[in-house]
Amino acid sequence: MTRKRRRLVILSLFLLGLGSATALSLLAFQDSLVFFFSPSDLARRPPPTDRAVRVGGLVEPGSVARSGTEVRFAITDGTTRLAVAYTGILPDLFREGQGVVANGRIQPDGSFRASEILAKHDENYMPREVAESLRREGHWRDGAAGAAAQPAQGGPRR
Amino acid sequence: MQRFANPGQFLRLAAVVQPWAAGVGAVATAVGLYFALFLSPADYQQGDTVRIMYVHVPAAWMALSIYLGLAVAAALSLVWKHPLADVAARAMAPIGAAFTALCLITGSLWGQPMWGTWWVWDARLTSVLVLFFLYLGHIALANAFDDADRGARAAAVLALVGVVNLPIIKFSVDWWNTLHQPASVMRLGGPTIHGAMLAPLLLMWAAYMGYFVVVLITRMRTELAERRLRALQLNAEQATRMTASAVEAG
Amino acid sequence: MADFLAMGGYAAFVWSAYGVTALVLAGLGLATVLSARRARAALHEAEQQIQGRRRTSRAQARAQR
């Protein structure tokens, strides 16, 4: 084996080892790598009420109720919904049928008190007119390609 | 054998490529900015902040592809001892660091109005920050040793170790849920971005590529000039030492 | 024009993003050009010196002959 060959073999083995070590540790830490849990995750494994968690899903269409700076709405992943209360300024992308991530605590009564609301954008980019005509022709509805992949709910809005 | 290979061939090629890259880059910058700021429409959700994407997304592409280039140069240097590999790596790292910084800053400027936060520690943002530190580490290591070859070797090893971060960055948005949106352009099933918005994105990418090639070639020339200077100084030192010993002996 | 500058209310974010991009890329470009000039000048000077030394040593050799 020439020296060049030997160096190449050493390098390949090194990269292979590094790659598998990384893959294994990423798999092991899967839970701490996710940024948020879905309402179904929380229903299955309720977190302690004294620990802050992030819940992500779509803002359930028609669920948003405001009174002053207090906002109440529901986050849904298509199967489970979670009632959320929040006081403060909402990000500009916060919309019914759109993705949202709420950071807060589960209350003793099972509702969710958010201390921070982040809007989640999806991978769709298009001009307003295109979105309008897609809606008009019924090819596409809000939230259809939202944060949590799930069947569309809620019709045209805005 | 390639240790003292003449970089003349590279310099000749560079002299031909550089003006073309500069020309393409300049045209793409002008047309791209016109598309990005005037011609392209506002997004149905993001409004005019979508224009930040035209400087942010291509910067992210550059950050990733330059790192890939750095890793290829590292392999060429460590395994094949190609004489230009270390020169190219040293020249690439600062450009990659600049694009990564731009990606992070412009992303933050989009995140504040849209997400409602400048920064979150989700998998995508964190892995890109790690990429930035890898670039900084590469620059620091390459300059950390008095012996330039040892510095180059250490930096090359770091570049190869950091390669695992590239798939993590690319697929972080698919493997784990993140606040960052999934891919819109380079995805199976075609882009989910409207043509009127894809055009400025690709034009700005061409502009960045032109800039990258021009700056890379200039930096590599500088590096080669500095190496030649060091070699000359070393020769001169040896010559004086030899004359001195000859005088002593005689 | 005012409409264009306002960027639908996101002027601060959009223009900062473009400004930072221009600033960083121009800064790196400038640093690259300056160091290229410095290196070229230093190399040129060193080459000149060596040529000068060669010339004098050749002259000395001729004088000795």
Side-chain angles (χ1 to χ4, degrees), chain B residues 26-43:
Chain B
V27 171
T29 306
V31 181
L33 282 177
Y34 182 61
F35 266 83
L37 291 169
F38 294 91
L39 275 188
S40 70
D43 183 70

Side-chain angles (χ1 to χ4, degrees), chain B residues 18 56 69 76 122 151 160 177:
Chain B
Q18 201 170 31
H56 168 78
L76 282 176
D122 80 350
L160 284 174
N177 55 43

